[in-house]
């Protein structure tokens, strides 16, 4: 025989556990949150101190729920009370404990509260408590759970007969035999709503649900009554809050949403595209409460402009390379259409033996979103540079133009043309050159944080077919790829495992026939720590680096947060440079080390010290690296 508990049979507003009396359509909380009772004043008698203890039930979730809803525990220190108030709190907690039991599926369970060993409803209890000595009143809260009820069935039904609810799919996450816990019942309802919204129903709802508890079978039956509402498409979005950015640009940036079937994920994607213009500090999306006369959903992006001008300075230091200082000035809305001009200068002073001159780099970069009306960003840059390194000296002017297109929020493709005119000097040759290349790039970033990732993946690939016009004409292709992965081992971003791998190759040319800066080198802070800059790889007769046509690199780093912004890291790096376009692993050089981290809003401040494990002639005994940002 089926027995229905009084007050729980087929009540359309009944929500598991804490949901008694909840308005239709609102999801139940995981545990009840009772309002604080009115506190007694001095007329109720002197303050009566007490201590609360909970008897473990054997169910950790239930223990947490009981402690979370207890008024006795929550108000003990913050709101002193009298003996009368103590009894009133205990009586309120009796109901709260029953709700906590039901929220975890213990519909046949009972809770017990004692004050100095007596039940809260004992006659004259408040007077006896008031007349006790000064010792705190012992309060004990316990529960006999009984069997945990389980789900018998969980189904979806239309709130209005004959309404199509196919967009909601099937019930997921709640099936026969699962514990009848409030959290799961509520999360299943949210899953249903998410599916309907992603299927194009912006006003989807679950206005009611029916829960039937069978105490004989110790089971629960759940029926969700679904109201999908109309299926709609987005109207042309409106952008509000901008005063200095071209409205036509904003219309273009938000126009990919217009006409698309409603999907909250697509709405957020376009919102992030508007934010990526770089001229707004915040962008919020607001949808209309009803469809417009054309049957489309109005959308408004509310924006707040950020300062358009910015300056910044960064610095780094590593042994055997020396200090590097960078400064930049940036305008993020140069001509009023979110054009970003960045002028950057870099000064370095290599400390490698045999190098005693300064190097510099001065460049300008202009980014123009929605270039010529296309959903692409034009990138123009020009750089004047002077490099003084152990491997070579270089003086050059470079210029380039490319178009970048974001395929999805994580993947960006690019193509362009680049040119360079310069002169290099090596120990055994001097080369004047002119280079023209057609770089093709792909960039993927699926990490959770650009500055300090804790999970996800990154990858970059650049393929540059190049023609060199010097003493002889050379046609070759340079390929460089890197990838990194991040794993949150602790689940709270306290322990991060970071992995990095990189490769490079030059096909179609001999090492001596291409400019030295296009060859590959390894060693240093951005490569294999513990080794001097560019020291790993083929060498000339005087032991200076010559560079090679292939590169392999890898790193493993464990980043551990200690307390607050402070952390440490341990790492191992490896790298190899080959003379040919295809390199093996036979000449790998290994380095290991440790460092400290201090988290800031612009990324961690990093200081690492590393030791080489492979003997390389001319290399120093260790490497010290200081900078802003993670190593990778």
């Amino acid at each position: 025989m089926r027995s229905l508990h009084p007050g729980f049979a087929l009540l359309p507003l009944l929500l598991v556990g804490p949901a008694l009396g909840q308005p239709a359509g609102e999801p139940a909380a995981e545990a009840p949150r009772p309002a604080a009772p009115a506190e007694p004043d001095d007329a109720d008698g002197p303050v009566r101190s007490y201590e609360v203890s909970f008897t473990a039930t054997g169910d950790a979730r239930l223990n947490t729920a009981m402690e979370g809803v207890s008024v006795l525990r929550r108000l003990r220190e913050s709101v002193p009370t009298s003996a009368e108030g103590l009894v009133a709190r205990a009586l309120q907690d009796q109901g709260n404990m029953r709700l906590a039991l039901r929220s975890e599926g213990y519909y046949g369970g009972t809770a017990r509260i004692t004050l100095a060993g007596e039940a809260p409803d004992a006659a004259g209890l408040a007077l006896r408590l008031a007349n006790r000595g000064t010792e705190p009143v012992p309060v004990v809260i316990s529960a006999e759970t009984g069997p945990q009820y389980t789900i018998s069935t969980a189904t979806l039904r239309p709130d209005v007969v004959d309404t199509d609810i196919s967009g909601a799919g099937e019930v997921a996450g709640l099936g026969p035999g699962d514990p009848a816990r409030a959290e799961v019942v509520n999360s299943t309802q949210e899953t249903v709503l998410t599916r309907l919204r992603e299927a194009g129903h912006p006003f989807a709802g679950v206005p009611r649900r029916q829960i039937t508890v069978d105490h004989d079978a110790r089971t629960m039956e759940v029926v969700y009554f679904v109201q999908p509402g109309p299926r709609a498409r987005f109207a042309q979005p409106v952008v509000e809050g901008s005063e200095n950015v071209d409205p036509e640009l904003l219309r273009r940036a938000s126009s990919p949403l217009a006409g698309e079937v409603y999907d909250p994920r697509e709405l957020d994607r376009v919102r992030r595209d508007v934010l990526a213009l770089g001229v707004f500090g915040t962008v919020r999306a607001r949808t209309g409460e009803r469809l417009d006369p054309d049957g489309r959903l109005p959308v408004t992006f509310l924006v707040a402009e950020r300062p358009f001008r910015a300056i910044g300075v960064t610095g780094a230091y590593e042994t055997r390379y020396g200090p590097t200082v960078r400064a930049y000035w940036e305008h993020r809305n140069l001509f009023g259409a979110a054009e970003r001009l960045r002028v950057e200068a870099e000064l370095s002073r290599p400390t490698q033996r045999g190098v005693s001159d300064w190097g510099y780099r001065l460049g300008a970069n202009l980014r123009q979103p929605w270039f010529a009306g296309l959903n692409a960003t034009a990138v123009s840059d020009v750089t004047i540079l002077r490099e003084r390194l152990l491997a070579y000296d270089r003086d050059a002017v470079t210029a380039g133009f490319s178009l970048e297109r974001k395929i999805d929020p994580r993947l960006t493709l690019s193509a362009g043309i680049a040119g360079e005119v310069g002169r290099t000097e090596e120990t055994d040759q001097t080369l004047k050159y002119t280079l023209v290349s057609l770089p093709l790039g792909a960039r993927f970033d699926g990490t959770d944080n650009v500055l300090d990732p804790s999970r996800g993946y990154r990858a970059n690939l650049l393929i540059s077919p190049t023609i060199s016009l010097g003493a002889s004409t050379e046609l070759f292709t340079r390929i460089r790829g890197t990838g990194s992965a991040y794993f949150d081992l602790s689940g709270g971003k306290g322990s991060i495992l970071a992995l990095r791998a990189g490769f490079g190759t030059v096909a179609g040319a001999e090492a001596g026939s291409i400019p030295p800066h296009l060859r590959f080198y390894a060693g240093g802070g951005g490569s294999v720590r513990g080794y001097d800059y560019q020291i790993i790889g083929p060498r000339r007769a005087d032991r200076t680096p010559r560079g090679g046509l292939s590169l392999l690199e890898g790193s493993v780093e464990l980043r551990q947060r200690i307390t607050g912004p402070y952390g440490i890291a341990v790492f191992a790096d490896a790298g190899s440079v080959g003379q040919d376009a295809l390199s093996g692993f036979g000449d790998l050089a290994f380095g290991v080390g440790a460092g400290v981290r201090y988290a800031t809003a612009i990324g961690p401040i990093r200081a690492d010290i590393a030791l080489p494990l492979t003997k390389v002639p001319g290399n120093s005994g260790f490497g010290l690296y200081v900078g802003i940002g993670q190593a990778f």
Side-chain angles (χ1 to χ4, degrees):
M1 173 181 176
R2 203 176 196 197
S3 170
L4 301 182
H5 189 281
F8 287 88
L10 302 177
L11 290 178
L13 297 184
L14 173 63
L15 302 178
V16 180
L20 294 174
Q22 177 187 323
E26 293 292 323
E30 295 180 17
R33 291 185 178 180
E39 295 305 314
D41 55 26
D42 293 340
D44 294 314
V47 170
R48 176 75 270 178
S49 63
Y50 64 94
E51 296 288 344
V52 182
S53 62
F54 290 82
T55 302
T57 63
D59 185 326
R61 289 180 178 271
L62 177 59
N63 296 339
T64 301
M66 291 173 63
E67 292 182 17
V69 302
S70 173
V71 172
L72 285 163
R73 184 195 64 82
R74 181 160 53 89
L75 300 183
R76 185 181 69 84
E77 294 184 358
S78 60
V79 186
T81 189
S82 65
E84 289 285 354
L86 176 56
V87 171
R89 290 180 183 180
L91 290 172
Q92 181 176 2
D93 261 3
Q94 283 185 326
N96 293 339
M97 294 305 125
R98 285 193 295 271
L99 291 178
L101 283 162
R102 291 167 183 165
S103 73
E104 295 302 316
Y106 298 105
Y107 279 82
T110 58
R112 184 168 183 262
I113 300 177
T114 61
L115 309 177
E118 298 187 62
D121 55 359
L125 176 60
L127 181 61
R128 290 192 294 277
L129 295 179
N131 292 331
R132 284 173 59 92
T134 58
E135 291 295 318
V137 175
V139 178
V140 179
I141 302 176
S142 60
E144 294 182 5
T145 62
Q148 188 176 41
Y149 286 35
T150 59
I151 298 296
S152 59
T153 60
T155 57
L156 305 179
R157 296 180 187 172
D159 188 53
V160 177
V161 178
D162 295 332
T163 300
D164 180 12
I165 61 171
S166 58
E170 301 294 330
V171 175
L174 190 66
D178 291 339
R181 297 178 51 247
E183 178 185 4
V184 180
V185 173
N186 293 329
S187 64
T188 298
Q189 176 172 316
E190 289 305 306
T191 299
V192 170
L193 290 174
T194 298
R195 284 178 174 175
L196 284 168
R197 289 165 184 156
E198 292 178 353
H201 301 273
F203 306 119
V206 179
R208 61 192 178 103
R209 61 189 184 196
Q210 179 176 286
I211 296 176
T212 305
V213 177
D214 186 334
H215 289 274
D216 290 339
R218 299 192 181 103
T219 60
M220 173 188 289
E221 177 185 304
V222 184
V223 180
Y224 299 93
F225 289 90
V226 178
Q227 189 177 75
R231 193 167 186 267
R233 295 181 180 272
F234 290 108
Q236 169 64 46
V238 175
V239 180
E240 295 182 355
S242 175
E243 298 178 357
N244 300 289
V245 182
D246 183 3
E248 178 60 21
L249 170 72
L250 300 180
R251 189 195 68 79
R252 289 177 181 172
S254 60
S255 62
L257 197 64
E260 294 292 323
V261 175
Y262 173 81
D263 188 328
R265 297 169 297 183
E266 187 70 10
L267 177 64
D268 187 61
R269 184 188 70 79
V270 175
R271 181 194 68 81
R272 285 186 277 112
D273 285 347
V274 175
L275 183 63
L277 292 173
V279 290
F280 302 123
T282 60
V283 178
R284 294 186 295 113
R286 183 179 66 193
T287 57
E289 298 180 354
R290 60 182 62 85
L291 302 183
D292 65 14
D294 296 325
R296 301 202 169 191
L297 181 68
V299 176
T300 302
F301 289 113
L302 305 172
V303 303
E305 292 178 351
R306 63 190 300 201
F308 293 143
R309 296 173 179 83
I311 59 174
V313 178
T314 63
Y317 175 83
E318 67 175 85
T319 55
R320 302 302 181 187
Y321 183 80
T324 300
V325 179
R326 299 182 183 91
Y328 72 87
W329 174 87
E330 184 175 89
H331 196 304
R332 303 184 179 109
N333 195 40
L334 187 63
F335 304 120
E339 303 92 348
R340 188 181 74 182
L341 174 65
R342 184 184 181 100
V343 179
E344 187 169 83
E346 175 183 304
L347 189 64
S348 60
R349 181 74 160 94
T351 57
Q352 290 173 295
R353 188 178 307 157
V355 181
S356 59
D357 207 350
W358 290 89
Y360 64 81
R361 182 184 300 263
L362 178 63
N365 176 279
L366 177 64
R367 299 180 62 88
Q368 299 168 274
W370 288 87
F371 179 73
L374 302 174
N375 186 6
T377 298
V379 183
S380 306
D381 61 76
V382 60
T383 302
I384 303 172
L385 61 89
R386 168 188 172 96
E387 291 181 324
R388 294 297 180 262
L389 305 171
L390 184 60
Y392 57 84
D393 292 344
R394 176 186 174 210
D395 296 278
V397 176
T398 70
F401 176 83
S402 64
L403 288 177
E404 292 183 356
R405 173 68 185 272
K406 184 173 287 189
I407 304 302
D408 69 28
R410 300 178 298 177
L411 178 62
T412 301
L413 302 181
S414 64
I417 184 170
E420 177 176 340
V421 177
R423 179 177 182 270
T424 61
E425 289 188 13
E426 302 175 78
T427 302
D428 53 0
Q429 70 172 334
T430 298
L431 176 66
K432 293 183 179 180
Y433 63 86
T434 300
L435 301 174
V436 178
S437 61
L438 300 174
L440 304 173
R443 184 173 66 251
F444 177 88
D445 192 340
T447 59
D448 61 341
N449 187 296
V450 174
L451 300 176
D452 190 11
S454 63
R455 61 174 66 90
Y457 305 89
R458 285 178 179 164
N460 287 277
L461 179 65
L462 181 63
I463 302 174
S464 300
T466 303
I467 184 170
S468 176
L469 305 173
S472 62
T473 299
E474 295 284 345
L475 181 61
F476 57 92
T477 300
R478 191 176 194 270
I479 303 173
R480 182 74 167 98
T482 60
S484 55
Y486 307 88
F487 303 93
D488 185 356
L489 302 181
S490 63
K493 300 185 179 182
S495 300
I496 307 300
L497 177 63
L499 308 175
R500 178 182 69 93
F503 75 94
T505 185
V506 178
E510 298 294 329
S513 64
I514 65 174
H517 67 283
L518 296 181
R519 303 171 201 153
F520 293 106
Y521 307 82
S527 177
V528 184
R529 288 165 284 186
Y531 295 85
D532 294 354
Y533 183 68
Q534 294 186 336
I535 201 71
I536 299 171
R539 294 163 172 267
R540 304 182 183 91
D542 61 357
R543 293 188 175 182
T544 57
R546 182 177 181 82
L549 297 181
S550 58
L551 170 72
L552 292 172
E553 286 182 332
S555 298
V556 178
E557 184 168 290
L558 179 63
R559 303 164 184 169
Q560 178 64 51
R561 186 176 63 227
I562 302 301
T563 179
Y566 297 97
I568 61 173
V570 293
F571 55 84
D573 298 337
S576 171
V577 177
Q579 295 187 21
D580 302 322
L582 296 176
S583 177
F585 294 90
D587 297 325
L588 280 174
F590 295 89
V592 297
V596 296
R597 303 288 187 270
Y598 181 82
T600 71
I602 59 173
I605 298 175
R606 171 175 56 93
D608 293 334
I609 187 167
L611 302 174
L613 298 184
T614 307
K615 186 176 181 179
V616 174
N619 186 58
S620 57
F622 70 96
L624 174 65
Y625 312 92
V626 180
I628 297 178
Q630 298 287 8
F632 58 90

